[in-house]
Amino acid sequence: MELKIFDRAEDAAIALAKRIATALAEHADLVLGLPTGRSPIAAYAELRRMHAAGEIDFSRASTFNLDEFAGIGAAHTGSFRRFMDEHLFDAVNVDRARVHFLDGSAADLDAECDRYESEIERAGGIDLQLLGIGANGHIGFNEPGDELVARTHRVILHEVTRRENAALFGGRPENVPREALSMGMATILKTRRIVLIATGERKASCVERTVRGPLTTRLPASFLQTHRHVELFLDRASASRLPGCRA
Ligand code: GLP
């Protein structure tokens, strides 16, 4: 894993946005995997700024979001689709026909997961996968447990994850759906390159275990150690438990 450690969270976000811009400049038809959560928000803001300044062109790119809540439609204010519109898509020249989401309101959620895997394959696979990381070490919505699921699948969310996502549901964890759909671990590990952003002291423990710990289903992000091209964009606080890195 390649560690990129910055003094401030803002610097990590700007560097991540530059990384994406460079990849897009090299391959205009890049297939991007995108996360939600607080971690990528500043990088998305920088991408919006770069687009307004004419520094980045999304017109031929495709995107696949990692996950979505089940039981709510795209128009719901808590949906990840709405999150992405607000933080990125409404402000850049992405072609909506190339924007892909899991549909949490599909009548047959298992069939919806299969459809998504096929769409990713049809697009030629994901070139650059952005990730955040849950404080419990989840990636996408692949939660810690006795086992992990390879392909896109239905997930029962942990209470801690529902609390962490409460801001999208009026601050009320009980309003966060109990179920979600998520790319699986193999879906993520099959992507060609992975860039993960983690900032703040709250992430220091899971970052340390992601980089140095054993591979364990108890920390899904630890499996990133098996991928050949992973870059971690960290601030000093999230890197503070790594050897030689002090906050
Ligand atoms: C959600 C998303 C994850 C994200 C995680 C971390 O659970 N499904 O993809 O990485 O939140 O959230 P945050 O960046 O707000 O800490």
Side-chain angles (χ1 to χ4, degrees), residues 6 109 125 200 224 246:
F6 300 87
L109 291 174
L224 296 176
R246 290 276 165 269

Side-chain angles (χ1 to χ4, degrees), residues 35-40 66-67 69 80 131-135 138-141 157 161 164-165 197 202-203:
T36 53
R38 282 151 290 186
S39 307
L66 265 174
D67 45 18
F69 293 109
F80 285 159
L131 292 175
I133 182 168
H138 73 228
I139 48 177
F141 272 139
L157 297 176
T161 301
E164 295 247 320
N165 282 276
I197 183 161
R202 214 167 56 85
K203 300 286 171 74

Side-chain angles (χ1 to χ4, degrees), residues 82-127:
R82 279 289 286 269
F83 176 100
M84 290 305 300
D85 284 347
E86 185 187 327
H87 289 286
L88 188 64
F89 296 149
D90 283 350
V92 299
N93 65 335
V94 68
D95 176 354
R96 294 283 173 165
R98 293 200 179 99
V99 167
H100 303 273
F101 275 91
L102 282 152
D103 177 3
S105 67
D108 182 341
L109 291 174
D110 293 315
E112 174 59 10
C113 292
D114 290 344
R115 179 196 67 82
Y116 208 58
E117 286 284 333
S118 309
E119 289 272 306
I120 293 172
E121 266 171 45
R122 225 187 336 265
I126 292 171
D127 296 311

Side-chain angles (χ1 to χ4, degrees), residues 143-148 158 216-220:
E143 296 276 38
D146 290 339
E147 51 193 33
L148 292 167
H158 288 192
T216 169
T217 59
R218 303 269 157 205
L219 192 94

